[in-house]
Amino acid sequence: MVDALALAAAFQQHYGTRPRIFRAPGRVNLIGEHTDYNDGFVLPMAIDRETAVAIAGRNDRILRIWSLNLDDFSELDLNNIGPGHHGAWIDYVEGIVSALAGQGLVLCGADIALKSDMGIGSGLASSAALEIALGTALVAVSGETINSLSLALAGQTAEHMHVGIHCGIMDQFISVHALENHAILLDCRTLQAKQIPLNLHEYETVICDSKVRHTLASSEYNRRRRDCRSGVKLLGVVLPGVRALRDVTPNELESHRSVLPETVFRRCRHVINENARTLKAAEALASGDVAGIGRLMSASHQSLRDNYQVSCSELDILVESAEAQSGVLGARMTGGGFGGCTVNLVKRSNFESFRENVSREYQKKAGITPEIFAVRASPGANEITNCE
Ligand code: GLA
């Protein structure tokens, strides 16, 4: 977690006023990868890594923003928000500001300091945490209100319009709506969410950060979306009424395989089976079948690697070496892919040996030291009120 007291002190020293502090969490997706933008199902939980925003309103329309992580400053005029696409952190700020304005909110100027304890681009949705923390903070100091779904959608709009990633809704939704000790089964078509207690018995959720982020991540992400859209179009000809891959069953896909080019077929196969796995995993979680979730997670990784082709050698090494350890029920890449993190279900008493062995293996095969840590399911965005 970010040290809110230290952030408030740094803010006060820099700007000379006392801030309010807001935070929003990152997430790990247990299962349901690359399904959100196909109207499908996801099962994420928010984690105890976050972005915090110290903020004090101003009487003008200027935002002064200080990123403590990057030790970088920027200034924006709310009357003149640019179109983004600088390829820099300020895109997220411009994006959320203009998405909120687009919803009719009138924001005031503010002095802002940002601090995150997540690696930028580590695949734990640090950008969604930034959008949601900042959105929550700006709305509050402006004396405006916003409902939680509109806030999540504003974060997604920021990514689409100002960052240039056509992401789904998962990351922003969980960052707003998460409950402590729960995962959310989200239907990304209806946006209906089911909070499921995260009862993993003697197991815990462990993240392995590969420390790599390949540059093709965003271009390949947008390309996968296009592949899925052409799958829908081609399948729609033989299966009237299909609006998204969500509407196609595994059997229908197999029987209409011939209408799809091989690559598109593989993309569709991943998404359609991943939706089924996610619903099964949610049932397994609700009924306490932790081993069942683990098996589904491992199947998900294989499909992401072979059908959707968004894994990379570093993630595969982490998953393989995790699965060779005792006390591991399942392991998979999580998030968009091409680097970032894996998520693992590890017996609590095996955590230390897991960390040592996987680190050693990864160091030997990839030449990189990973970061390995257990996470707790944390609550969604809020104001931190006890940092006076
Ligand atoms: C990124 C996107 C999400 C989702 C995942 C893949 O994290 O932001 O919307 O599509 O990739 O499941």
Side-chain angles (χ1 to χ4, degrees):
M1 313 288 278
V2 173
D3 181 344
L5 279 176
L7 176 60
F11 181 98
Q12 193 158 357
Q13 197 175 22
H14 183 72
Y15 291 110
T17 46
R18 280 243 297 258
R20 291 167 70 181
I21 310 275
F22 297 81
R23 59 163 282 285
R27 63 96 188 95
V28 61
N29 189 19
L30 296 172
I31 196 164
E33 217 64 84
H34 289 279
T35 46
D36 60 352
Y37 53 84
N38 287 300
D39 275 6
F41 299 94
V42 293
L43 188 63
M45 63 184 245
I47 59 173
D48 46 348
R49 301 226 168 177
E50 61 189 15
T51 292
V53 173
I55 188 166
R58 295 167 55 96
N59 293 325
D60 57 16
R61 301 268 297 156
I62 299 297
L63 292 183
R64 294 194 294 174
I65 313 126
W66 172 28
S67 161
L68 275 82
N69 293 73
L70 301 170
D71 195 20
D72 196 12
F73 296 87
S74 202
E75 200 169 298
L76 292 183
D77 180 349
L78 288 171
N79 294 326
N80 189 17
I81 294 298
H85 299 285
H86 307 286
W89 64 279
I90 201 65
D91 290 343
Y92 298 96
V93 183
E94 284 188 356
I96 192 73
V97 163
S98 79
L100 292 172
Q103 291 190 11
L105 274 69
V106 181
L107 302 179
C108 65
D111 289 334
I112 294 170
L114 305 171
K115 173 88 182 155
S116 173
D117 64 353
M118 273 177 285
I120 292 170
S122 62
L124 298 176
S126 55
S127 52
L130 170 58
E131 291 144 16
I132 299 305
L134 198 54
T136 309
L138 283 167
V139 168
V141 298
S142 302
E144 289 276 13
T145 52
I146 188 168
N147 73 51
S148 50
L149 183 57
S150 302
L151 177 60
L153 291 168
Q156 187 191 26
T157 304
E159 299 265 355
H160 288 195
M161 307 302 287
H162 280 72
V163 181
I165 305 254
H166 289 270
C167 66
I169 190 62
M170 168 170 69
D171 301 351
Q172 291 81 8
F173 191 97
I174 187 77
S175 190
V176 175
H177 295 91
L179 290 184
E180 191 164 18
N181 298 326
H182 286 72
I184 285 182
L185 173 66
L186 177 65
D187 178 333
C188 299
R189 169 171 280 170
T190 62
L191 296 180
Q192 288 218 321
K194 189 168 164 202
Q195 299 279 357
I196 306 180
L198 194 74
N199 188 356
L200 298 176
H201 305 295
E202 69 269 43
Y203 290 85
E204 59 187 345
T205 314
V206 173
I207 307 287
C208 300
D209 185 346
S210 69
K211 296 282 174 188
V212 297
R213 186 76 179 147
H214 296 296
T215 45
L216 30 85
S218 52
S219 56
E220 288 297 316
Y221 186 93
N222 290 341
R223 180 171 303 166
R224 292 300 178 281
R225 280 198 78 142
R226 287 200 296 276
D227 289 344
C228 291
R229 264 203 308 275
S230 49
V232 169
K233 217 164 142 199
L234 292 166
L235 287 167
V237 176
V238 285
L239 296 167
V242 166
R243 280 163 45 211
L245 291 178
R246 152 76 172 275
D247 301 315
V248 183
T249 65
N251 282 342
E252 285 172 335
L253 175 71
E254 299 301 328
S255 53
H256 295 293
R257 181 176 184 156
S258 60
V259 303
L260 301 174
E262 179 62 18
T263 306
V264 174
F265 166 72
R266 287 218 231 165
R267 307 298 186 242
C268 295
R269 177 186 257 177
H270 166 74
V271 172
I272 291 165
N273 291 324
E274 183 79 352
N275 275 332
R277 279 189 288 269
T278 306
L279 290 173
K280 277 193 199 141
E283 267 170 36
L285 181 58
S287 67
D289 175 14
V290 190
I293 308 169
R295 282 192 297 275
L296 292 159
M297 284 169 63
S298 297
S300 166
H301 184 78
Q302 283 169 27
S303 175
L304 286 158
R305 184 191 60 203
D306 301 336
N307 292 318
Y308 218 64
Q309 296 179 300
V310 289
S311 188
C312 59
S313 62
E314 293 88 350
L315 291 170
D316 293 343
I317 293 169
L318 284 172
V319 166
E320 265 163 44
S321 53
E323 286 185 334
Q325 306 305 314
S326 41
V328 174
L329 292 181
R332 60 182 286 277
M333 56 153 277
T334 184
F338 298 103
C341 295
T342 64
V343 54
N344 309 263
L345 290 182
V346 182
K347 205 178 209 165
R348 213 164 277 125
S349 53
N350 286 91
F351 174 71
E352 281 311 327
S353 62
F354 175 90
R355 178 153 67 179
E356 264 171 44
N357 296 343
V358 174
S359 293
R360 192 174 348 93
E361 277 287 291
Y362 188 62
Q363 176 70 48
K364 199 166 85 196
K365 296 190 172 146
I368 303 167
T369 307
E371 190 191 352
I372 300 182
F373 51 97
V375 285
R376 277 184 297 121
S378 300
N382 63 340
E383 181 167 11
I384 302 175
T385 47
N386 57 351
C387 55
E388 296 266 305

Short mmCIF file of all heavy atoms in Angstrom, two decimals, residues 20-23 53-58 61 63 78 93 95-112 130-155 176 381-383:
data_model
loop_
_atom_site.label_atom_id
_atom_site.label_comp_id
_atom_site.label_asym_id
_atom_site.label_seq_id
_atom_site.Cartn_x
_atom_site.Cartn_y
_atom_site.Cartn_z
N ARG A 20 -6.35 16.30 0.50
CA ARG A 20 -7.14 15.10 0.78
C ARG A 20 -6.47 13.96 0.00
O ARG A 20 -5.83 14.21 -1.02
CB ARG A 20 -8.59 15.29 0.29
CG ARG A 20 -9.35 16.31 1.11
CD ARG A 20 -10.65 16.70 0.44
NE ARG A 20 -11.65 15.62 0.46
CZ ARG A 20 -12.87 15.71 -0.09
NH1 ARG A 20 -13.24 16.82 -0.72
NH2 ARG A 20 -13.72 14.69 -0.03
N ILE A 21 -6.62 12.73 0.52
CA ILE A 21 -5.96 11.60 -0.15
C ILE A 21 -7.01 10.58 -0.61
O ILE A 21 -7.90 10.20 0.16
CB ILE A 21 -4.98 10.87 0.80
CG1 ILE A 21 -4.03 11.85 1.50
CG2 ILE A 21 -4.20 9.78 0.07
CD1 ILE A 21 -2.81 12.23 0.74
N PHE A 22 -6.85 10.14 -1.83
CA PHE A 22 -7.74 9.12 -2.40
C PHE A 22 -6.87 7.98 -2.93
O PHE A 22 -5.70 8.20 -3.25
CB PHE A 22 -8.56 9.71 -3.55
CG PHE A 22 -9.47 10.82 -3.10
CD1 PHE A 22 -8.98 12.12 -2.92
CD2 PHE A 22 -10.81 10.57 -2.85
CE1 PHE A 22 -9.81 13.14 -2.48
CE2 PHE A 22 -11.65 11.60 -2.41
CZ PHE A 22 -11.15 12.88 -2.22
N ARG A 23 -7.45 6.81 -3.05
CA ARG A 23 -6.67 5.69 -3.57
C ARG A 23 -7.56 4.80 -4.44
O ARG A 23 -8.79 4.80 -4.28
CB ARG A 23 -6.11 4.82 -2.43
CG ARG A 23 -7.20 4.24 -1.53
CD ARG A 23 -6.76 3.09 -0.67
NE ARG A 23 -6.67 1.83 -1.37
CZ ARG A 23 -7.72 1.08 -1.74
NH1 ARG A 23 -8.97 1.45 -1.51
NH2 ARG A 23 -7.51 -0.07 -2.36
N VAL A 53 -3.65 9.42 -4.65
CA VAL A 53 -3.66 10.78 -5.18
C VAL A 53 -3.85 11.75 -4.01
O VAL A 53 -4.82 11.65 -3.27
CB VAL A 53 -4.85 10.96 -6.15
CG1 VAL A 53 -5.00 12.42 -6.57
CG2 VAL A 53 -4.67 10.08 -7.37
N ALA A 54 -2.88 12.63 -3.83
CA ALA A 54 -3.06 13.73 -2.87
C ALA A 54 -3.53 14.93 -3.67
O ALA A 54 -2.99 15.22 -4.74
CB ALA A 54 -1.73 14.03 -2.18
N ILE A 55 -4.56 15.61 -3.17
CA ILE A 55 -5.16 16.66 -4.00
C ILE A 55 -5.71 17.80 -3.15
O ILE A 55 -6.23 17.57 -2.05
CB ILE A 55 -6.28 16.04 -4.88
CG1 ILE A 55 -6.82 17.04 -5.90
CG2 ILE A 55 -7.42 15.48 -4.03
CD1 ILE A 55 -7.66 16.39 -7.00
N ALA A 56 -5.58 19.02 -3.66
CA ALA A 56 -6.24 20.18 -3.05
C ALA A 56 -6.81 21.01 -4.20
O ALA A 56 -6.10 21.28 -5.19
CB ALA A 56 -5.25 21.00 -2.24
N GLY A 57 -8.09 21.38 -4.09
CA GLY A 57 -8.74 22.15 -5.15
C GLY A 57 -8.13 23.55 -5.28
O GLY A 57 -7.53 24.07 -4.33
N ARG A 58 -8.24 24.14 -6.46
CA ARG A 58 -7.79 25.52 -6.70
C ARG A 58 -8.99 26.34 -7.18
O ARG A 58 -10.01 25.78 -7.56
CB ARG A 58 -6.71 25.53 -7.81
CG ARG A 58 -5.43 24.81 -7.45
CD ARG A 58 -4.57 24.60 -8.70
NE ARG A 58 -4.29 25.83 -9.40
CZ ARG A 58 -3.18 26.56 -9.25
NH1 ARG A 58 -2.21 26.14 -8.45
NH2 ARG A 58 -3.01 27.67 -9.92
N ARG A 61 -8.74 27.05 -13.22
CA ARG A 61 -8.98 25.85 -14.04
C ARG A 61 -7.66 25.15 -14.39
O ARG A 61 -7.55 24.45 -15.40
CB ARG A 61 -9.71 26.26 -15.34
CG ARG A 61 -11.04 26.94 -15.07
CD ARG A 61 -12.20 25.97 -15.06
NE ARG A 61 -12.39 25.32 -16.33
CZ ARG A 61 -13.01 24.13 -16.48
NH1 ARG A 61 -13.45 23.47 -15.45
NH2 ARG A 61 -13.17 23.61 -17.68
N LEU A 63 -4.65 22.42 -13.58
CA LEU A 63 -4.22 21.24 -12.83
C LEU A 63 -2.70 21.23 -12.83
O LEU A 63 -2.07 21.26 -13.90
CB LEU A 63 -4.69 19.95 -13.51
CG LEU A 63 -6.16 19.61 -13.54
CD1 LEU A 63 -6.34 18.24 -14.21
CD2 LEU A 63 -6.78 19.59 -12.16
N LEU A 78 -7.74 23.16 -17.80
CA LEU A 78 -8.99 22.42 -18.01
C LEU A 78 -9.82 23.01 -19.15
O LEU A 78 -10.73 22.35 -19.67
CB LEU A 78 -9.82 22.40 -16.72
CG LEU A 78 -9.29 21.51 -15.60
CD1 LEU A 78 -10.06 21.74 -14.31
CD2 LEU A 78 -9.36 20.05 -16.00
N VAL A 93 -4.07 11.34 -17.49
CA VAL A 93 -4.66 12.48 -16.79
C VAL A 93 -5.59 13.24 -17.74
O VAL A 93 -6.76 13.48 -17.44
CB VAL A 93 -3.55 13.42 -16.25
CG1 VAL A 93 -4.18 14.57 -15.47
CG2 VAL A 93 -2.54 12.66 -15.40
N GLY A 95 -6.94 12.09 -20.31
CA GLY A 95 -8.02 11.17 -20.68
C GLY A 95 -9.14 11.17 -19.65
O GLY A 95 -10.31 11.30 -20.00
N ILE A 96 -8.80 11.05 -18.37
CA ILE A 96 -9.87 10.96 -17.37
C ILE A 96 -10.56 12.31 -17.23
O ILE A 96 -11.78 12.39 -17.08
CB ILE A 96 -9.34 10.40 -16.02
CG1 ILE A 96 -10.51 10.03 -15.09
CG2 ILE A 96 -8.41 11.35 -15.30
CD1 ILE A 96 -11.24 8.80 -15.47
N VAL A 97 -9.80 13.38 -17.32
CA VAL A 97 -10.39 14.72 -17.22
C VAL A 97 -11.38 14.93 -18.36
O VAL A 97 -12.51 15.37 -18.14
CB VAL A 97 -9.26 15.78 -17.25
CG1 VAL A 97 -9.82 17.14 -17.55
CG2 VAL A 97 -8.49 15.79 -15.94
N SER A 98 -10.99 14.58 -19.57
CA SER A 98 -11.91 14.88 -20.66
C SER A 98 -13.08 13.90 -20.67
O SER A 98 -14.20 14.26 -21.06
CB SER A 98 -11.20 15.02 -21.99
OG SER A 98 -10.91 13.80 -22.51
N ALA A 99 -12.88 12.66 -20.19
CA ALA A 99 -14.01 11.72 -20.11
C ALA A 99 -15.03 12.20 -19.07
O ALA A 99 -16.23 12.11 -19.28
CB ALA A 99 -13.52 10.32 -19.77
N LEU A 100 -14.55 12.74 -17.96
CA LEU A 100 -15.47 13.24 -16.93
C LEU A 100 -16.22 14.47 -17.46
O LEU A 100 -17.43 14.61 -17.28
CB LEU A 100 -14.72 13.58 -15.64
CG LEU A 100 -14.14 12.37 -14.89
CD1 LEU A 100 -13.24 12.82 -13.74
CD2 LEU A 100 -15.25 11.45 -14.37
N ALA A 101 -15.48 15.34 -18.12
CA ALA A 101 -16.13 16.53 -18.70
C ALA A 101 -17.17 16.09 -19.73
O ALA A 101 -18.26 16.66 -19.81
CB ALA A 101 -15.08 17.45 -19.32
N GLY A 102 -16.82 15.05 -20.49
CA GLY A 102 -17.75 14.53 -21.49
C GLY A 102 -19.03 14.00 -20.87
O GLY A 102 -20.06 13.90 -21.54
N GLN A 103 -18.98 13.62 -19.61
CA GLN A 103 -20.20 13.17 -18.91
C GLN A 103 -20.93 14.35 -18.27
O GLN A 103 -21.85 14.17 -17.48
CB GLN A 103 -19.85 12.14 -17.84
CG GLN A 103 -19.37 10.81 -18.41
CD GLN A 103 -19.26 9.72 -17.34
OE1 GLN A 103 -19.73 9.87 -16.23
NE2 GLN A 103 -18.63 8.63 -17.70
N GLY A 104 -20.45 15.57 -18.54
CA GLY A 104 -21.15 16.76 -18.05
C GLY A 104 -20.68 17.24 -16.68
O GLY A 104 -21.28 18.16 -16.11
N LEU A 105 -19.61 16.67 -16.15
CA LEU A 105 -19.13 17.13 -14.84
C LEU A 105 -18.29 18.39 -15.01
O LEU A 105 -17.52 18.50 -15.98
CB LEU A 105 -18.29 16.04 -14.16
CG LEU A 105 -19.09 15.02 -13.34
CD1 LEU A 105 -19.92 14.14 -14.25
CD2 LEU A 105 -18.17 14.17 -12.49
N VAL A 106 -18.43 19.31 -14.08
CA VAL A 106 -17.61 20.54 -14.13
C VAL A 106 -16.53 20.42 -13.07
O VAL A 106 -16.80 20.41 -11.86
CB VAL A 106 -18.49 21.79 -13.87
CG1 VAL A 106 -17.62 23.04 -13.94
CG2 VAL A 106 -19.62 21.86 -14.89
N LEU A 107 -15.29 20.30 -13.53
CA LEU A 107 -14.19 20.09 -12.61
C LEU A 107 -13.52 21.42 -12.29
O LEU A 107 -13.47 22.32 -13.13
CB LEU A 107 -13.15 19.15 -13.21
CG LEU A 107 -13.67 17.76 -13.63
CD1 LEU A 107 -12.54 16.94 -14.23
CD2 LEU A 107 -14.27 17.02 -12.43
N CYS A 108 -12.95 21.51 -11.07
CA CYS A 108 -12.18 22.71 -10.74
C CYS A 108 -10.70 22.40 -10.90
O CYS A 108 -10.31 21.23 -11.01
CB CYS A 108 -12.48 23.16 -9.30
SG CYS A 108 -11.95 22.01 -8.05
N GLY A 109 -9.88 23.41 -10.93
CA GLY A 109 -8.43 23.21 -10.96
C GLY A 109 -7.98 22.55 -9.66
O GLY A 109 -8.70 22.54 -8.67
N ALA A 110 -6.77 21.99 -9.66
CA ALA A 110 -6.30 21.32 -8.45
C ALA A 110 -4.78 21.16 -8.49
O ALA A 110 -4.19 21.10 -9.57
CB ALA A 110 -6.95 19.95 -8.32
N ASP A 111 -4.21 21.11 -7.29
CA ASP A 111 -2.81 20.68 -7.15
C ASP A 111 -2.85 19.21 -6.77
O ASP A 111 -3.63 18.80 -5.91
CB ASP A 111 -2.12 21.50 -6.06
CG ASP A 111 -1.90 22.94 -6.50
OD1 ASP A 111 -1.81 23.18 -7.73
OD2 ASP A 111 -1.82 23.83 -5.63
N ILE A 112 -1.99 18.43 -7.41
CA ILE A 112 -2.09 16.97 -7.31
C ILE A 112 -0.70 16.36 -7.16
O ILE A 112 0.25 16.79 -7.82
CB ILE A 112 -2.75 16.40 -8.59
CG1 ILE A 112 -4.21 16.88 -8.69
CG2 ILE A 112 -2.68 14.89 -8.63
CD1 ILE A 112 -4.86 16.58 -10.03
N LEU A 130 -4.69 4.41 -11.72
CA LEU A 130 -4.42 5.84 -11.84
C LEU A 130 -5.68 6.60 -12.29
O LEU A 130 -6.06 7.62 -11.69
CB LEU A 130 -3.27 6.07 -12.83
CG LEU A 130 -3.00 7.51 -13.27
CD1 LEU A 130 -2.70 8.40 -12.06
CD2 LEU A 130 -1.83 7.58 -14.25
N GLU A 131 -6.33 6.09 -13.32
CA GLU A 131 -7.54 6.77 -13.82
C GLU A 131 -8.61 6.85 -12.73
O GLU A 131 -9.24 7.90 -12.54
CB GLU A 131 -8.13 5.99 -15.01
CG GLU A 131 -7.29 6.03 -16.27
CD GLU A 131 -7.34 4.72 -17.05
OE1 GLU A 131 -8.23 3.88 -16.80
OE2 GLU A 131 -6.46 4.52 -17.91
N ILE A 132 -8.81 5.75 -12.02
CA ILE A 132 -9.91 5.70 -11.05
C ILE A 132 -9.58 6.53 -9.80
O ILE A 132 -10.44 7.24 -9.27
CB ILE A 132 -10.27 4.23 -10.70
CG1 ILE A 132 -10.71 3.48 -11.96
CG2 ILE A 132 -11.34 4.17 -9.61
CD1 ILE A 132 -11.85 4.10 -12.74
N ALA A 133 -8.33 6.46 -9.34
CA ALA A 133 -7.96 7.25 -8.17
C ALA A 133 -8.08 8.74 -8.50
O ALA A 133 -8.64 9.53 -7.73
CB ALA A 133 -6.53 6.92 -7.73
N LEU A 134 -7.59 9.10 -9.66
CA LEU A 134 -7.63 10.51 -10.07
C LEU A 134 -9.06 10.97 -10.31
O LEU A 134 -9.46 12.07 -9.89
CB LEU A 134 -6.80 10.64 -11.36
CG LEU A 134 -6.34 12.01 -11.76
CD1 LEU A 134 -5.56 12.68 -10.63
CD2 LEU A 134 -5.43 11.90 -12.99
N GLY A 135 -9.85 10.14 -10.96
CA GLY A 135 -11.25 10.48 -11.20
C GLY A 135 -12.00 10.68 -9.89
O GLY A 135 -12.71 11.68 -9.71
N THR A 136 -11.81 9.77 -8.95
CA THR A 136 -12.48 9.87 -7.64
C THR A 136 -12.08 11.17 -6.96
O THR A 136 -12.93 11.89 -6.41
CB THR A 136 -12.05 8.67 -6.75
OG1 THR A 136 -12.23 7.47 -7.48
CG2 THR A 136 -12.87 8.60 -5.47
N ALA A 137 -10.79 11.48 -7.00
CA ALA A 137 -10.27 12.67 -6.32
C ALA A 137 -10.80 13.95 -6.96
O ALA A 137 -11.28 14.86 -6.28
CB ALA A 137 -8.74 12.64 -6.35
N LEU A 138 -10.74 14.02 -8.29
CA LEU A 138 -11.16 15.24 -8.99
C LEU A 138 -12.65 15.51 -8.80
O LEU A 138 -13.07 16.66 -8.59
CB LEU A 138 -10.86 15.12 -10.49
CG LEU A 138 -9.39 15.32 -10.86
CD1 LEU A 138 -9.15 14.86 -12.30
CD2 LEU A 138 -8.99 16.78 -10.70
N VAL A 139 -13.45 14.44 -8.86
CA VAL A 139 -14.89 14.60 -8.69
C VAL A 139 -15.17 15.12 -7.28
O VAL A 139 -15.95 16.06 -7.09
CB VAL A 139 -15.60 13.24 -8.94
CG1 VAL A 139 -17.05 13.28 -8.48
CG2 VAL A 139 -15.52 12.87 -10.42
N ALA A 140 -14.48 14.56 -6.28
CA ALA A 140 -14.74 14.96 -4.88
C ALA A 140 -14.35 16.42 -4.63
O ALA A 140 -15.14 17.18 -4.08
CB ALA A 140 -13.99 14.02 -3.93
N VAL A 141 -13.15 16.82 -5.05
CA VAL A 141 -12.76 18.21 -4.74
C VAL A 141 -13.54 19.23 -5.57
O VAL A 141 -13.61 20.39 -5.20
CB VAL A 141 -11.23 18.49 -4.87
CG1 VAL A 141 -10.43 17.64 -3.91
CG2 VAL A 141 -10.74 18.33 -6.30
N SER A 142 -14.14 18.77 -6.66
CA SER A 142 -14.94 19.68 -7.47
C SER A 142 -16.37 19.79 -6.94
O SER A 142 -17.19 20.52 -7.52
CB SER A 142 -14.98 19.22 -8.93
OG SER A 142 -13.67 19.13 -9.45
N GLY A 143 -16.68 19.02 -5.91
CA GLY A 143 -18.04 19.05 -5.35
C GLY A 143 -19.07 18.41 -6.27
O GLY A 143 -20.25 18.69 -6.19
N GLU A 144 -18.58 17.54 -7.16
CA GLU A 144 -19.47 16.84 -8.08
C GLU A 144 -19.75 15.43 -7.53
O GLU A 144 -19.12 14.99 -6.57
CB GLU A 144 -18.81 16.72 -9.47
CG GLU A 144 -18.73 18.03 -10.23
CD GLU A 144 -20.03 18.34 -10.97
OE1 GLU A 144 -21.05 17.69 -10.70
OE2 GLU A 144 -20.02 19.23 -11.83
N THR A 145 -20.68 14.73 -8.13
CA THR A 145 -20.88 13.31 -7.79
C THR A 145 -20.96 12.52 -9.09
O THR A 145 -21.30 13.07 -10.14
CB THR A 145 -22.20 13.07 -7.01
OG1 THR A 145 -23.26 13.67 -7.75
CG2 THR A 145 -22.14 13.65 -5.61
N ILE A 146 -20.62 11.24 -8.96
CA ILE A 146 -20.68 10.36 -10.14
C ILE A 146 -21.03 8.97 -9.63
O ILE A 146 -20.57 8.58 -8.55
CB ILE A 146 -19.32 10.38 -10.90
CG1 ILE A 146 -19.44 9.63 -12.23
CG2 ILE A 146 -18.19 9.81 -10.05
CD1 ILE A 146 -18.24 9.85 -13.16
N ASN A 147 -21.84 8.23 -10.37
CA ASN A 147 -22.09 6.87 -9.89
C ASN A 147 -20.91 5.98 -10.30
O ASN A 147 -20.13 6.30 -11.19
CB ASN A 147 -23.46 6.34 -10.31
CG ASN A 147 -23.51 6.00 -11.78
OD1 ASN A 147 -22.66 5.28 -12.30
ND2 ASN A 147 -24.50 6.54 -12.47
N SER A 148 -20.80 4.86 -9.58
CA SER A 148 -19.57 4.07 -9.72
C SER A 148 -19.40 3.51 -11.13
O SER A 148 -18.28 3.46 -11.65
CB SER A 148 -19.56 2.95 -8.68
OG SER A 148 -20.78 2.27 -8.73
N LEU A 149 -20.49 3.13 -11.78
CA LEU A 149 -20.34 2.57 -13.12
C LEU A 149 -19.88 3.66 -14.10
O LEU A 149 -19.01 3.42 -14.94
CB LEU A 149 -21.67 1.95 -13.58
CG LEU A 149 -21.62 1.29 -14.95
CD1 LEU A 149 -20.55 0.20 -15.00
CD2 LEU A 149 -22.98 0.69 -15.32
N SER A 150 -20.42 4.87 -13.96
CA SER A 150 -20.01 5.95 -14.86
C SER A 150 -18.52 6.27 -14.66
O SER A 150 -17.82 6.61 -15.62
CB SER A 150 -20.83 7.22 -14.60
OG SER A 150 -22.18 6.95 -14.77
N LEU A 151 -18.05 6.16 -13.42
CA LEU A 151 -16.63 6.41 -13.16
C LEU A 151 -15.77 5.36 -13.88
O LEU A 151 -14.77 5.69 -14.54
CB LEU A 151 -16.37 6.39 -11.65
CG LEU A 151 -14.94 6.56 -11.22
CD1 LEU A 151 -14.35 7.89 -11.69
CD2 LEU A 151 -14.82 6.45 -9.68
N ALA A 152 -16.17 4.09 -13.76
CA ALA A 152 -15.42 3.02 -14.42
C ALA A 152 -15.42 3.25 -15.94
O ALA A 152 -14.39 3.12 -16.61
CB ALA A 152 -16.02 1.66 -14.08
N LEU A 153 -16.57 3.62 -16.48
CA LEU A 153 -16.66 3.84 -17.93
C LEU A 153 -15.82 5.03 -18.36
O LEU A 153 -15.23 5.03 -19.44
CB LEU A 153 -18.13 4.04 -18.34
CG LEU A 153 -18.99 2.77 -18.23
CD1 LEU A 153 -20.47 3.10 -18.36
CD2 LEU A 153 -18.59 1.74 -19.29
N ALA A 154 -15.72 6.05 -17.48
CA ALA A 154 -14.86 7.21 -17.81
C ALA A 154 -13.40 6.77 -17.92
O ALA A 154 -12.67 7.21 -18.81
CB ALA A 154 -15.03 8.30 -16.75
N GLY A 155 -12.99 5.87 -17.03
CA GLY A 155 -11.61 5.34 -17.10
C GLY A 155 -11.37 4.61 -18.42
O GLY A 155 -10.34 4.79 -19.08
N VAL A 176 -13.04 0.13 -9.13
CA VAL A 176 -14.10 0.90 -8.47
C VAL A 176 -14.91 0.02 -7.51
O VAL A 176 -15.19 0.41 -6.38
CB VAL A 176 -15.08 1.50 -9.51
CG1 VAL A 176 -16.25 2.19 -8.83
CG2 VAL A 176 -14.36 2.48 -10.43
N ALA A 381 -11.88 1.81 -4.89
CA ALA A 381 -11.42 3.19 -4.66
C ALA A 381 -12.16 3.86 -3.50
O ALA A 381 -13.36 3.68 -3.33
CB ALA A 381 -11.66 4.00 -5.93
N ASN A 382 -11.42 4.65 -2.73
CA ASN A 382 -12.05 5.43 -1.66
C ASN A 382 -11.13 6.57 -1.22
O ASN A 382 -9.98 6.65 -1.66
CB ASN A 382 -12.42 4.53 -0.46
CG ASN A 382 -11.20 3.90 0.18
OD1 ASN A 382 -10.14 3.80 -0.44
ND2 ASN A 382 -11.34 3.45 1.40
N GLU A 383 -11.69 7.38 -0.32
CA GLU A 383 -10.86 8.44 0.28
C GLU A 383 -10.24 7.88 1.55
O GLU A 383 -10.89 7.15 2.30
CB GLU A 383 -11.74 9.66 0.63
CG GLU A 383 -10.92 10.79 1.25
CD GLU A 383 -11.67 12.11 1.32
OE1 GLU A 383 -12.90 12.12 1.08
OE2 GLU A 383 -11.00 13.13 1.63
#
